[in-house]
Amino acid sequence: MILEDFFRSVGQMTDPRFRNVLMKGLALTVGLLIAVTVAMTWLVGFLVPDTLSLPFIGEVSWVDGIAWWASFLAMIVLSVVLMVPVAGAFTGIFLDDVADAVEARHYPELPPAPDVPMVETIRDSLGFFGVIVGVNLIALILFFFVGPLAPILFWVVNGYLLGREYFQMAAMRRVGRAEANRMRARHNMQIWFAGTLMAIPLSIPLVNLLIPILGAATFTHLFHRVSRK
């Protein structure tokens, strides 16, 4: 049944509303990363002096240039690392649109979902971003101790996080936060498995940018399936 939820979501990836959410998330992500890169390189250029006097060497006039290029390259590398979680956080702001598209096609008998306040949506997206980054930093340390089992650890950890957050998002739209928590506790293993299915493509460049949308759609199907039971 989880695979059916997944493939029904894949089949709707050409939906214009899905593409709009992806484009908005990517545009905000690229804009933010460019702004941070420009700000950091400007700050380094402002703080590092044009020349520096070093013992036994004398006056060095290229320190600011080296510092500028080093900060620029560091921000490029950091941007690549942060692209997926930042895009996921921004896309999370618009995932209600994905759920609405899924329900309009597959559950037309449902009344419109109540609007979730934008402040609450942004708070949940930022919280999800913080959890993803924090837990993956811990997992990165553990990777050095588990060797070839590192990919499995990555999938299991992120599967739990993705399942928890996406199911919460899908359920809260219809039944509120308290009931969403109770439903998640009742169906925890199924949700974890579905989250792991989302986590596996996270290690594939470019494909990983689609995971927030695919996850929101899949867990919308999953929520409606378990709620009917």
Side-chain angles (χ1 to χ4, degrees):
M1 296 301 293
I2 292 174
L3 290 176
E4 182 181 346
D5 297 336
F6 175 75
F7 286 117
R8 291 171 79 186
S9 301
V10 171
Q12 200 176 344
M13 286 300 290
T14 56
D15 191 308
R17 284 170 289 188
F18 282 32
R19 291 199 302 270
N20 288 341
V21 170
L22 176 63
M23 290 299 104
K24 285 188 284 190
L26 288 179
L28 288 170
T29 299
V30 171
L32 176 65
L33 293 178
I34 289 175
V36 172
T37 300
V38 170
M40 285 299 298
T41 51
W42 176 85
L43 183 62
V44 168
F46 177 76
L47 294 177
V48 176
D50 295 338
T51 60
L52 188 65
S53 183
L54 299 175
F56 309 110
I57 297 179
E59 190 172 88
V60 178
S61 60
W62 37 260
V63 173
D64 59 333
I66 293 293
W68 188 92
W69 278 106
S71 63
F72 177 76
L73 293 175
M75 285 305 304
I76 293 297
V77 172
L78 191 60
S79 295
V80 172
V81 173
L82 292 177
M83 173 65 81
V84 173
V86 172
F90 274 128
T91 305
I93 299 173
F94 309 108
L95 287 185
D96 268 357
D97 295 343
V98 174
D100 287 338
V102 170
E103 291 179 344
R105 174 177 293 190
H106 297 280
Y107 312 96
E109 73 282 0
L110 293 174
D115 290 333
V116 178
M118 180 59 70
V119 173
E120 188 170 337
T121 301
I122 294 174
R123 184 195 66 188
D124 289 342
S125 296
L126 291 177
F128 185 32
F129 172 73
V131 170
I132 285 285
V133 172
V135 173
N136 277 284
L137 287 176
I138 297 172
L140 184 63
I141 297 172
L142 295 177
F143 284 167
F144 293 102
F145 301 98
V146 297
L149 296 178
I152 297 175
L153 175 63
F154 176 85
W155 296 334
V156 169
V157 169
N158 282 283
Y160 175 78
L161 292 171
L162 290 173
R164 180 181 182 276
E165 295 300 323
Y166 285 135
F167 184 83
Q168 192 83 358
M169 181 276 299
M172 279 176 52
R173 298 174 66 252
R174 291 289 175 181
V175 297
R177 188 179 297 272
E179 179 61 22
N181 288 333
R182 286 191 289 269
M183 291 183 68
R184 181 166 52 81
R186 286 198 301 269
H187 304 283
N188 186 53
M189 292 308 298
Q190 186 176 175
I191 292 168
W192 194 346
F193 180 81
T196 303
L197 191 63
M198 298 296 106
I200 292 174
L202 279 178
S203 31
I204 305 174
L206 299 182
V207 174
N208 49 20
L209 296 174
L210 302 175
I211 295 307
I213 296 171
L214 190 57
T218 299
F219 279 90
T220 299
H221 285 299
L222 192 154
F223 162 73
H224 286 297
R225 179 165 52 78
V226 299
S227 64
R228 287 176 176 178
K229 291 182 179 179

